[in-house]
Amino acid sequence: MRIKKLALTALTLFFSFSLYAAETIKIGASMPLTGMFAVPGSKHLEGYQMCVDIINQNGGWLGKDVILLAIDNRSDTETSISQYERFINVDKVDLVFGTFSSKLTFPTSTILAKYNYVLPIPSGGALRIYRRGFKNLFYFQSNPAEYYGKQLLAVVRDRASASDQPKTVALVHADDFFANSIANGLLGKKVKLPGSGKLVEDMAPGYIVEAGMKLVYHEQWPEEGFSDWLTLANSIKNSGAEMVIGMMASPEEAVQLSRALKTVRHNPKHLMLTQGTQSEFLEGLGDATEGIMIYAAWHDDAPYEGTLAGQRMNNSDFVAKYKAMNGKLPDEDVAITFALCQGIDQAVNATRSVDNARIMSWLHTRTSRNPVKTILGDYYWDSTGLPINKQALIVQWQGSKLKFIYPTNEFQASSMISPKPAW
Amino acid sequence: MIEFLQVLILGICLGFVYALMVSGLTLIFGVMRIVNLAHPILIICGAFVSYWLFILIGLDPILSIPIAGLVVAALGVVIYKLIFERNAAQQTYSEMTVLLTFGTAMVIDGILSFVFHNTQRTTSPSYATDAIFIGDIFIPLAQLYSGLVSSVIIVGLAVFLKYSDFGIAIRATSQNRTSAELVGVNVKFVCLISFGIGCALAGAAGALVSFIFSFFPSRHWEWIAIMMSLVVLGGMGSLKGAVIGAIVLSVVSSMVGAFISPAWSTMVFFLSLFLILIIRPKGLFGIQSD
């Protein structure tokens, strides 16, 4: 009798859950919550979750609650691939959200293209991701990583005084999919597809040569387990480079490189990094952040306008809401995924559907006049999935705050500290 | 020549920190045959203790070593009682501990990630990014202080193991558990305390690591392989071997980083692991199992 009751209860629960699941819209996201990308990965998830919570508070999508199924992929590509396979074949998710990093996005995008799922990408800027003929990709940041170098050098050319123009540059980076892509652009290398070797783009002569600078030091460190930052910083110092460009995929590496440069007392005129907008960077370096420039996708002062769940959600609204909830400013890693979720929310509401083909078609037909409007600005894409006319932002740490300094035509830019103050 | 000397100094300083990081690992293996894959996450626990003491009351990470050591030792004793003691009699105990400690590491990682999030943290005492300059040579204060403190702790541990009655009991247990029991050593108690001491060393290392490296809960996965290569080179269970292995590999890794490429510096640890396992599996000063 007792067993019968238990079985009946279990069946009731099962069918109740099944009914509930049928009344919900599921989104799958394989996120690096542990491992080398744990810090940005966790913040990316925070942005997704915040956005989904707001959608649900406003009635969900198509009258249904939205469930975000987020699983830790341990920063591992194989795990991430199998998780997206599982989302589609077992969990039967309606939509997916992209993961963090080019390294994880490159292989997972192949799987999602196979199943014709829309893949909105929050962080995955390597050009190679977009030049394989896939039509399901939509990148929610700015230029591909290979083009970053142009802007990294332009900010100094355009905003630093003549006496602060560097003649020599040291380039150091992680041996990582994303960081190597930026280096390819700066060094003028050929970008090829892994495996086939098919040429994607020839970046020659490279942005460093185009800028008339001399490369005096170029090194990369291994993707994982590197700890000998002082030796690396000492080598940079010995090169006498007037500008140091550090390209990394994790903020932890940005802290370590900066601390090591400070310890060996190498004082370049400019220090430019591709990570370091996070609060952890400030915590790790304190006042030593002064004058360090970072390549970014978002800034809290940006006057970008957007919507979410049919209501206004401008960048200022997002910042205010996040501050009210957490008592601090959001990091760009939270803002990026929030913006991506805004974009998909607009697609779902416009098509009144979670059908991937319809959403893909709607996103492809966005234009400068009718873009997706997010806290990262307006988005519309070329056929490869790269955003058109979307500039990245250069920010600089000034007085323990991140100030937007470039490009000056984007919105009100702060003055630039040049040269970087001595450590 | 100056660059060679500079890299040598940096390698030695970092080597002493590595030595402290692995001293507890090798002690635990030597006495209990536990391959403690949870050791790196215990170091992270020590780093968190030190971090919060620094943030909340401004206590210098070096001064917080005793507290970090005690807290992690207490945690270690609880873990030992709950997980290892009851399985000590099993024939496949040593092999089993690999899985048990791996699972323990995952659980602690999960708890820390849930409580503190995977946010990277660093303590920033004034000396963390300072250095002494002697001509063209510089000695980073963080590495210098942590190297000195590590060497004091390791020498203290060596003296304790060599001259104290309890240290002799630990060594006896590590050399031959059965014989030690026969001559009246309370092996069960020795194992419990040794595990606690090993964990205390992890806590102490964590306090030093907190201002040398950034840390976050899942960072420990990166350290496991490096730490295993250090103890395998020196010989599992040998304190002297662990110290020498740590310093040698740290110096060689720094040299490779400076004169070949940083891209290859981490490879030194893994290459040495392969070579030692092929050429001399018990390591330079490894002990034979009883």
Side-chain angles (χ1 to χ4, degrees):
Chain A
M1 193 64 190
R2 216 171 144 190
I3 292 172
K4 270 187 184 172
K5 269 186 183 172
L6 273 172
L8 201 63
T9 312
L11 271 173
T12 311
L13 280 171
F14 175 77
F15 284 117
S16 306
F17 181 77
S18 300
L19 277 174
Y20 174 70
E23 292 304 311
T24 57
I25 289 171
K26 288 185 278 186
I27 306 169
S30 166
M31 303 306 295
L33 306 179
T34 54
M36 66 182 295
F37 299 134
V39 173
S42 303
K43 294 187 182 208
H44 266 20
L45 178 57
E46 201 183 337
Y48 281 150
Q49 193 61 60
M50 181 179 167
C51 175
V52 167
D53 288 347
I54 293 171
I55 291 169
N56 284 332
Q57 284 158 16
N58 288 279
W61 279 342
L62 315 175
K64 297 177 181 178
D65 276 353
V66 180
I67 297 177
L68 178 65
L69 298 175
I71 312 180
D72 177 20
N73 59 35
R74 307 196 312 272
S75 306
D76 177 60
T77 48
E78 300 299 324
T79 309
S80 193
I81 289 168
S82 62
Q83 286 176 349
Y84 276 113
E85 290 259 21
R86 187 192 154 84
F87 284 142
I88 295 167
N89 296 315
V90 180
D91 298 317
K92 310 284 183 196
V93 296
D94 301 284
L95 299 168
V96 294
F97 282 168
T99 186
F100 175 84
S101 82
S102 295
K103 177 189 163 184
L104 298 177
T105 302
F106 187 85
T108 51
S109 59
T110 310
I111 300 299
L112 294 162
K114 185 177 84 178
Y115 289 106
N116 285 318
Y117 265 67
V118 171
L119 175 56
I121 299 172
S123 298
L127 200 53
R128 288 170 283 180
I129 294 170
Y130 304 92
R131 296 291 170 84
R132 291 173 296 163
F134 297 157
K135 299 296 176 197
N136 64 323
L137 311 178
F138 299 92
Y139 186 39
F140 276 83
Q141 280 198 46
S142 56
N143 303 323
E146 281 78 356
Y147 303 162
Y148 275 26
K150 192 171 189 176
Q151 213 157 346
L152 294 176
L153 299 176
V155 60
V156 174
R157 180 198 64 206
D158 293 349
R159 299 219 60 190
S161 65
S163 61
D164 294 340
Q165 293 297 326
K167 293 180 180 62
T168 55
V169 60
L171 201 62
V172 289
H173 59 98
D175 186 10
D176 164 82
F177 210 101
F178 167 73
N180 285 338
S181 298
I182 308 170
N184 284 339
L186 283 160
L187 297 170
K189 289 187 177 176
K190 287 186 170 70
V191 181
K192 293 178 179 175
L193 282 182
S196 69
K198 186 183 160 194
L199 183 69
V200 169
E201 194 160 328
D202 186 352
M203 301 302 295
Y207 297 121
I208 290 176
V209 170
E210 281 179 6
M213 291 184 191
K214 188 182 175 193
L215 181 72
V216 290
Y217 185 75
H218 171 224
E219 262 309 345
Q220 58 183 169
W221 62 83
E223 196 177 24
E224 286 184 64
F226 182 66
S227 56
D228 202 1
W229 296 98
L230 284 170
T231 306
L232 177 66
N234 191 44
S235 298
I236 297 171
K237 183 183 183 185
N238 290 339
S239 76
E242 293 179 332
M243 180 172 185
V244 176
I245 302 177
M247 297 161 296
M248 55 284 288
S250 77
E252 192 254 341
E253 293 171 327
V255 171
Q256 291 299 331
L257 177 64
S258 306
R259 280 168 66 115
L261 286 170
K262 184 187 176 201
T263 306
V264 303
R265 296 288 185 273
H266 179 52
N267 286 304
K269 287 179 180 173
H270 307 285
L271 174 57
M272 176 79 77
L273 306 174
T274 58
Q275 288 280 339
T277 56
Q278 298 84 352
S279 52
E280 291 86 351
F281 187 74
L282 178 64
E283 187 181 295
L285 282 180
D287 294 342
T289 51
E290 192 71 1
I292 297 177
M293 290 181 279
I294 321 279
Y295 193 92
W298 173 85
H299 190 269
D300 56 302
D301 286 343
Y304 299 136
E305 295 178 348
T307 63
L308 182 63
Q311 297 181 356
R312 193 188 82 171
M313 181 56 76
N314 295 345
N315 190 37
S316 54
D317 302 319
F318 163 72
V319 172
K321 197 166 184 66
Y322 187 91
K323 273 175 85 173
M325 285 165 58
N326 301 285
K328 60 178 183 178
L329 273 177
D331 279 342
E332 71 163 334
D333 286 322
V334 180
I336 291 166
T337 43
F338 188 90
L340 179 152
C341 176
Q342 277 184 297
I344 300 304
D345 170 73
Q346 287 162 37
V348 170
N349 287 326
T351 59
R352 302 295 303 155
S353 159
V354 286
D355 178 70
N356 276 271
R358 291 179 68 181
I359 289 175
M360 204 180 303
S361 170
W362 186 85
L363 289 171
H364 272 306
T365 51
R366 295 307 89 210
T367 62
S368 58
R369 287 189 169 185
N370 195 10
V372 161
K373 297 187 81 67
T374 78
I375 58 166
L376 256 59
D378 293 352
Y379 279 93
Y380 57 104
W381 298 265
D382 66 18
S383 60
T384 68
L386 287 168
I388 299 169
N389 287 336
K390 194 78 191 89
Q391 302 186 93
L393 313 176
I394 304 290
V395 296
Q396 186 178 45
W397 283 101
Q398 298 180 8
S400 299
K401 286 192 168 55
L402 274 173
K403 299 284 184 183
F404 165 69
I405 57 167
Y406 194 80
T408 48
N409 62 353
E410 189 71 20
F411 55 95
Q412 183 62 50
S414 302
S415 58
M416 174 185 170
I417 295 176
S418 175
K420 190 190 92 58
W423 300 108
Chain B
M1 186 60 195
I2 285 177
E3 196 175 354
F4 178 84
L5 199 59
Q6 178 67 72
V7 176
L8 185 69
I9 290 169
L10 294 176
I12 290 172
C13 288
L14 196 58
F16 272 108
V17 180
Y18 282 149
L20 183 62
M21 286 170 76
V22 296
S23 58
L25 182 63
T26 204
L27 178 74
I28 288 170
F29 178 79
V31 178
M32 285 156 285
R33 298 293 182 270
I34 293 175
V35 181
N36 189 10
L37 299 183
H39 199 78
I41 193 70
L42 293 173
I43 293 176
I44 300 274
C45 289
F48 267 110
V49 172
S50 203
Y51 171 83
W52 284 114
L53 287 170
F54 180 76
I55 294 291
L56 296 175
I57 58 170
L59 186 65
D60 188 285
I62 291 176
L63 296 178
S64 70
I65 285 175
I67 302 172
L70 275 175
V71 170
V72 179
L75 177 64
V77 167
V78 172
I79 290 170
Y80 186 79
K81 281 293 223 186
L82 283 177
I83 300 170
F84 297 108
E85 198 173 68
R86 66 180 67 181
N87 294 310
Q90 303 264 4
Q91 277 206 329
T92 53
Y93 179 58
S94 196
E95 293 85 346
M96 198 195 289
T97 60
V98 176
L99 288 176
L100 284 172
T101 54
F102 186 77
T104 306
M106 288 184 83
V107 170
I108 299 174
D109 179 349
I111 294 169
L112 289 179
S113 300
F114 180 75
V115 177
F116 299 118
H117 306 287
N118 259 310
T119 299
Q120 71 179 47
R121 294 161 203 271
T122 321
T123 51
S124 302
S126 57
Y127 51 80
T129 52
D130 216 341
I132 301 169
F133 288 83
I134 307 165
D136 290 334
I137 300 277
F138 71 93
I139 304 172
L141 289 184
Q143 272 74 2
L144 178 67
Y145 292 167
S146 54
L148 287 172
V149 172
S150 295
S151 48
V152 167
I153 294 173
I154 290 167
V155 169
L157 177 68
V159 169
F160 167 74
L161 289 176
K162 186 153 191 179
Y163 297 110
S164 74
D165 289 344
F166 200 81
I168 291 166
I170 290 176
R171 283 195 294 133
T173 307
S174 91
Q175 282 162 15
N176 194 317
R177 191 186 174 99
T178 315
S179 301
E181 210 158 17
L182 285 174
V183 295
V185 173
N186 184 347
V187 168
K188 223 172 167 182
F189 184 66
V190 165
C191 286
L192 177 69
I193 297 302
S194 300
F195 197 85
I197 293 172
C199 294
L201 291 168
L208 298 178
V209 159
S210 74
F211 60 86
I212 294 178
F213 307 125
S214 297
F215 65 93
F216 47 91
S218 51
R219 180 98 207 253
H220 69 111
W221 298 118
E222 276 180 35
W223 292 343
I224 289 175
I226 289 177
M227 289 172 64
M228 290 310 290
S229 69
L230 301 177
V231 289
V232 168
L233 174 65
M236 293 289 282
S238 163
L239 182 62
K240 182 170 71 176
V243 173
I244 292 172
I247 293 169
V248 166
L249 284 189
S250 176
V251 169
V252 174
S253 169
S254 295
M255 292 288 176
V256 169
F259 299 114
I260 299 175
S261 166
W264 294 100
S265 61
T266 311
M267 182 70 85
V268 169
F269 298 103
F270 303 110
L271 196 61
S272 81
L273 187 62
F274 284 125
L275 291 177
I276 281 291
L277 287 175
I278 292 168
I279 300 165
R280 192 179 160 85
K282 67 171 186 168
L284 298 176
F285 304 93
I287 53 170
Q288 299 284 3
S289 59
D290 46 351

